[in-house]
Amino acid sequence: MQEAQKKTDSGITIKKVYTSADIPEKFNSTLEPGTFPYTRGVQHDMYRGKLWTMRQYAGFSTAEESNKRYHFLLGQGVMGLSVAFDLPTQIGYDADHELADGEVGKVGVSICSLLDMEILFKDIPLDKISTSMTINSTGFILLALYVALAKKRGIDLKLLSGTIQNDILKEYAARGTYIYPPKQSMRIITDIFEWCGTNLPKWNSISISGYHIREAGSTAVQEVAFTLSNGKAYVQAAQAKGLDINQFGKRLSFFFNAHNNLFEEVAKFRAARRMWANIMKELGATDEKALMLRFHTQTGGATLTAQQPHNNISRVTVQTIAAVMGGTQSLHTNGFDEALGLPTQEAASIALRTQQIVAFESGIADTADPLAGSFYVESLTDEVESKATELIKQIDAMGGSVAAIESGFMQNKIAESAYAYQKAIESNDKIIVGVNQFQSNSNQDIPVFKIDESIRQQQMDKLTLLKAQRDPNKVKLCLAAIHTAALGTQNLMPPVIEAVENHCTLGEISDILRDVFGEYQA
């Protein structure tokens, strides 16, 4: 009987054994980490010099409740905060909007105003921690709120460090929390690049996200190709605005998924670094910091199972190892119970401990790029790069990412891959432990984190009080200033910051731009 052919999740054929004959011609055994094209990492000593930033993605209910979780996580050894926002916040609706009903505080924290931001970061030193915010369409408003809070506390903006995701292209392709049409959204993003370049030197003005592309069902190869192609589109848009690639290029960051196929994931991260360095070089970058692909990783949410959920601890461990061996700069590990609901405090603590065990007990962090020179990994890195480069060439021939998204090319490729993956599970060609093999009839009593349904009313009451106490004339003037800026070419960030300082709400600012820019219809 002929042995079944083994393939990675991207369809790359895996040989039974690899030898020195499989090492790619471009492999350079003398190449060190921290040198172009950064295949082996962006730092010479990698984690011997500084461990990756250990983050835990958290945000739920009200700002008060999320603040308690942040203090718990910081007390457990988290090095940076990663904020999740609820859907109304992500798509520019205050908690009192009719479309927010049933969603306030459910998949993240509800933020409507500067008052909420003050509560969210109460007693947290903004100049001493790094804050990552997973927010896209309204990213400029959340950044404005963060800046306004820092100014109110008298903190030097040059000390603020963190990231706003701010990646709208993947929203059109894979996730759906867009508001404005692509052209206007790209204008907002380049305004952020320009403003941050002058005012927030330590802030990453975008996190170009492959994570959600992968969660939507893409392969590892597609995740790299579509993410880097989107990155090219942002760089080219910034260059068209007259921005210096060697300046804004240093503040670009990426966000990738860590899936279960350990070696393919390591190869993916290594290939992505090499590809981005060459892409940026072709676009005119010369500063080594602008050539480096720096990235945050989150373990794969879509890989978590509701069946036998404790198995997810093992999955997250494998994914953590892949991210660290692949050279991530920052990492969030998922809670084992996230297929059931928001992570409980216990699950979040286990997830963080997983990172700490890998960092301090496994020995993986003791040397840079420990899998370098592996016949298998070097061959796989080359295969991922080759296949991803071919996809990028197809997108370039269409006119770039925006055109590829508008034509449905990216969406269709992701949908085809998601369908093929699910078919493989249902036919048992792909084994998912506890799902289609090794099932158990025993019921595990897993506590589920629940959000109080009274949250929306609490947020609405706060909004009513805020609007009664603020200066209505200042609000009117600030919103008018945003409207004028949006009609012209003025950078949007200064009037938006002034607006939130005068207690204009996220929904009010979003609506002003809806009036000017319109809303995107897929």
Side-chain angles (χ1 to χ4, degrees), residues 141-178:
I141 303 174
L142 271 299
L143 177 60
L145 287 164
Y146 197 80
V147 166
L149 177 58
K151 288 172 68 178
K152 191 171 183 179
R153 291 186 184 177
I155 295 170
D156 182 353
L157 298 186
K158 291 182 170 54
L159 298 178
L160 296 183
S161 66
T163 305
I164 45 169
Q165 191 166 104
N166 196 29
D167 174 6
I168 201 63
L169 291 179
K170 65 94 176 53
E171 295 296 327
Y172 301 119
R175 192 162 174 269
T177 64
Y178 45 73

Side-chain angles (χ1 to χ4, degrees), residues 47 321 324-325 358-359 361-368 370:
Y47 305 129
I321 290 169
V324 173
M325 283 189 162
V358 170
E361 296 186 29
S362 72
I364 292 170
D366 290 348
T367 188

